[in-house]
Amino acid sequence: MKPLRMLGRSVRDAIKSVIRNFSLSLASISCITITLIIVAVAIIASFNVQNFTQEIEKDMTIVVFVDNDAKEEDVEVIEEEIKAIKNVDKYTYQTKQEVKAKMQEESEVFKTVLDTWEDDESPLKDTFQVKVKNVEKIRKTAEKIENIDKVSTVRYGEGMVDKMVSAFSSVEKVTYGIVIALVIVTVFLIINTIKLTISARRREIGIMRLVGASNITIKLPFIIEGMILGLFGSIIPVLITTYGYLAFYKHFDGYLYSRLIQLILPEPFIYQTSLIVIGIGILVGMIGSASAVRRYLKI
Amino acid sequence: MDLIRVKNVEKKYKNGVTAIYDLNLAIEKGSFVFVIGGSGSGKSTFIKLLYREEKPTKGQVIVGGLDVAKLKNKKVYKLRRKLGIVFQDYRLLPKLTVYENVAFALECIGEKKDVIRIKVLKALEDVGLKNKVHEYPDNLSGGEQQRVAIARAIVNDPKLLLCDEPTGNLDPEKSLEIMKVLESINKSRGTTIIMATHDKEIVNKMKKQVITLKDGHLVKFKQKGTYAE
Ligand SMILES: Nc1ncnc2c1ncn2[C@@H]1O[C@H](COP(=O)(O)OP(=O)(O)O)[C@@H](O)[C@H]1O
Ligand SMILES: [Mg+2]
């Protein structure tokens, strides 16, 4: 029961202190709010980008057509060379017969058309289907494969996609930079808020130490105060995240750019994002207050 | 049984001033001891060594079997729970009532509410302030404020009560009141009391043990001492 009682006391003290230093608390909370809004937008954007790049990556395949005059040894050489390219993740090989069978399986129309061709007059070719590790570099990889002997044409997805993916990833990096800078500013603001609280309560802290309060008892109210600032600061960002994303999703009907990009379903995504935002808010508050306590409490 | 044993203690502050030189003494459980000496003779430093506000640069300070000099900062609170401390400037919290000020000491160490109530009222009774429970410190006289501070110091029933010039801000009449309170605590609770003072009249009247310090040296330790040169 004793730790619970101490916790209750600490929470009470922390709330009192937030109210007492209202203007500075408000400044910290506002700073956390702004940071968390940007963090929330960044989270939503990056999860969505990740989601659809994964979708695209699943579909993105380099199709390598082997020249008709290539012999079995040539195919082996081609295979070795493809294997040697770093960005190549997996590949499969299909002879023209296998391609034909597969196409016939997929459609009745193909089945009848393809059946009219003999093997030697077939326009189909032996193919390698290559998956890459990094879609951003798919163009270079395709170029390398194209330079291999006895390879006629190389084709991969839509030309725009790799550019888009790499654009998104640089936007993501810039966002991370902004988020980190904002978090640092916020932490400093919280340190200052807690510093003020500590100095306002010097006398009380001195007496607490005289009468034998343990260090954790003395520190806890300040740490909880930081966490409360973080919690309050996450209220508006959570509301914006939840209702904002719902509205956004509804407005675009779940897709962006004519069905190219599919958005993540709002549920449970918005709840997960909210939890992450609250978590970051509380954590930032805690880090700020813990370092203020370490710096200014000297115990 | 000795409650306090001080062996070969030296205290040199960081600025180079040596406040205590090679101090050796023992204080028995239940005794009432004055620490006297002129300004700067090391009285406050001696008291601070006992509650581990300062660490000795040499020697041992043993309080209740515990070597206080070796105590880690994090563990100091364990020592503080076993003793009470009173200062010249009372150190009360102005926004709390008399009752709350005394209860604060127990709340800080996680005591239960009903236990706090019993102990606080008992302590306030012992210092004769049961009728001022709901007053704020600013509405009390200096003597009354000091009695609140004493109540706070004894509320957890410590074995040892340290007082650094508790009557320093009080007129002779109020000082005597404080001394009566301290004496009765010493008698009824059996609390060992160590009091630093430079008030000759009090020391001469009380006829208690006297430790005399001069420029950081122990000059005398008398059983029924007076304030002599
Ligand atoms: N924190 C400190 N830092 C440096 N010197 C100190 C400190 N506290 C006390 N002193 C010095 O130590 C000596 C003894 O001081 P103190 O113990 O306060 O004596 P008293 O209480 O008898 O007046 C004095 O010379 C004083 O200047
Ligand atoms: Mg002094």
Side-chain angles (χ1 to χ4, degrees), chain B residues 104-117:
Chain B
F104 184 77
L106 294 176
E107 280 171 10
C108 283
I109 60 174
E111 193 58 271
K112 281 196 207 101
K113 244 200 166 105
D114 43 340
V115 176
I116 290 178
R117 188 167 177 79

Side-chain angles (χ1 to χ4, degrees), chain A residues 13-65:
Chain A
D13 280 6
I15 291 171
K16 266 193 213 159
S17 172
V18 169
I19 295 165
R20 201 178 304 138
N21 301 324
F22 187 70
S23 54
L24 202 67
S25 297
L26 199 65
S28 298
I29 292 171
S30 314
C31 197
I32 296 171
T33 301
I34 292 166
T35 307
L36 289 182
I37 288 172
I38 293 171
V39 168
V41 171
I43 290 172
I44 288 175
S46 89
F47 272 96
N48 269 294
V49 167
Q50 252 176 47
N51 181 54
F52 83 74
T53 42
Q54 265 166 20
E55 289 299 315
I56 290 170
E57 275 166 25
K58 263 187 232 155
D59 293 343
M60 289 275 271
T61 311
I62 301 176
V63 184
V64 181
F65 297 102

